[in-house]
Amino acid sequence: LAKTTQPISMDSYEGQEVNITCSHNNIATNDYITWYQQFPSQGPRFIIQGYKTKVTNEVASLFIPADRKSSTLSLPRVSLSDTAVYYCLVGDPTTSGTYKYIFGTGTRLKVLA
Amino acid sequence: NAGVMQNPRHLVRRRGQEARLRCSPMKGHSHVYWYRQLPEEGLKFMVYLQKENIIDESGMPKERFSAEFPKEGPSILRIQQVVRGDSAAYFCASSRQGAREFFGPGTRLTVL
């Protein structure tokens, strides 16, 4: 499974756009990129998943360049409640469940007033 | 539809005691997964079960840990003779066949 690298922490202010980049140099052809959010004392929650180019949902956008060796999670206009740890996972959802993905230490986002 | 339920949410045990953690999957989900999260670390997979079967236990410590998912009732993660290093948050997730997992709120185990 592809190893991912993310910044350990980030600070932002309310109302700003936050971009968290994840490196996954050895991503495989069939791998998807998935992002999870985890609040303190809670289990991880699915945010978004993509394979290439751009994916957008009501919560976030995911940008994936053509070589797919990195991806960027974009959170528009963050609020204090977006303070959480964000995990980037890489794996093939058709051959293995999320349980085979590797959760790294994630990126600890702190949103300031 | 209630989410994944875990109980207790907090569990305190003394060294040498047994810890039993319970997980009730979402309705219609027959796949259960257990993870462990140490402070300031990411989740580490422990075991994957379907009803009455262990599918993958590659992340499970060889001794003192066991898991089951009986035909009726919740999945149980059992830790015998707990040690301080077992203190962690234990998360359960559930899914339908081939679908994405949903995580529970976790059980925080503290070993004194």
Side-chain angles (χ1 to χ4, degrees):
Chain A
L1 287 161
K3 187 178 183 303
T4 61
T5 303
Q6 306 173 232
I8 293 174
S9 64
M10 294 179 72
D11 287 349
S12 180
Y13 288 94
E14 281 190 290
Q16 289 188 329
E17 178 184 80
V18 170
N19 296 309
I20 306 175
T21 297
C22 177
S23 297
H24 27 80
N25 290 320
N26 58 339
I27 188 170
T29 303
N30 295 330
D31 284 346
Y32 280 66
I33 299 143
T34 309
W35 285 81
Y36 276 78
Q37 175 190 55
Q38 186 179 24
F39 296 115
S41 302
Q42 293 188 28
R45 186 179 71 148
F46 172 87
I47 301 176
I48 197 166
Q49 184 181 72
Y51 183 81
K52 63 179 179 180
T53 62
K54 179 184 174 183
V55 179
T56 298
N57 61 22
E58 64 278 5
V59 176
S61 294
L62 179 59
F63 297 93
I64 306 167
D67 66 4
R68 306 203 321 124
K69 292 186 183 301
S70 67
S71 59
T72 299
L73 174 72
S74 181
L75 305 172
R77 293 187 298 281
V78 294
S79 63
L80 295 176
S81 62
D82 292 317
T83 294
V85 178
Y86 292 82
Y87 296 98
C88 165
L89 311 175
V90 173
D92 182 354
T94 63
T95 61
S96 64
T98 308
Y99 82 96
K100 281 291 192 182
Y101 299 0
I102 298 172
F103 280 85
T105 52
T107 297
R108 194 170 294 273
L109 172 67
K110 182 189 282 187
V111 179
L112 307 168
Chain B
N1 186 10
V4 179
M5 310 283 281
Q6 289 189 250
N7 69 80
R9 293 295 311 277
H10 300 274
L11 181 62
V12 179
R13 285 288 177 266
R14 296 191 180 279
R15 280 180 297 171
Q17 291 185 319
E18 179 181 283
R20 282 189 178 232
L21 288 61
R22 293 175 190 77
C23 169
S24 296
M26 287 178 68
K27 187 176 180 181
H29 289 192
S30 59
H31 300 249
V32 164
Y33 316 80
W34 286 94
Y35 296 78
R36 177 165 61 177
Q37 185 174 35
L38 296 171
E40 308 300 315
E41 292 188 14
L43 278 70
K44 296 284 192 294
F45 165 74
M46 299 180 75
V47 63
Y48 163 28
L49 310 105
Q50 278 183 273
K51 285 286 186 181
E52 301 184 279
N53 290 306
I54 295 175
I55 307 301
D56 185 341
E57 57 182 347
S58 58
M60 197 81 132
K62 295 288 182 248
E63 297 177 349
R64 302 188 297 107
F65 285 72
S66 63
E68 62 177 11
F69 187 17
K71 188 176 180 181
E72 301 291 337
S75 174
I76 306 284
L77 179 68
R78 183 180 175 211
I79 311 172
Q80 294 178 292
Q81 298 175 309
V82 295
V83 301
R84 289 226 173 99
D86 296 332
S87 293
Y90 292 83
F91 291 96
C92 166
S94 73
S95 74
R96 298 178 192 275
Q97 174 71 31
R100 185 161 31 88
E101 299 159 34
F102 290 81
F103 286 85
T107 293
R108 297 197 177 277
L109 172 66
T110 301
V111 179
L112 302 176

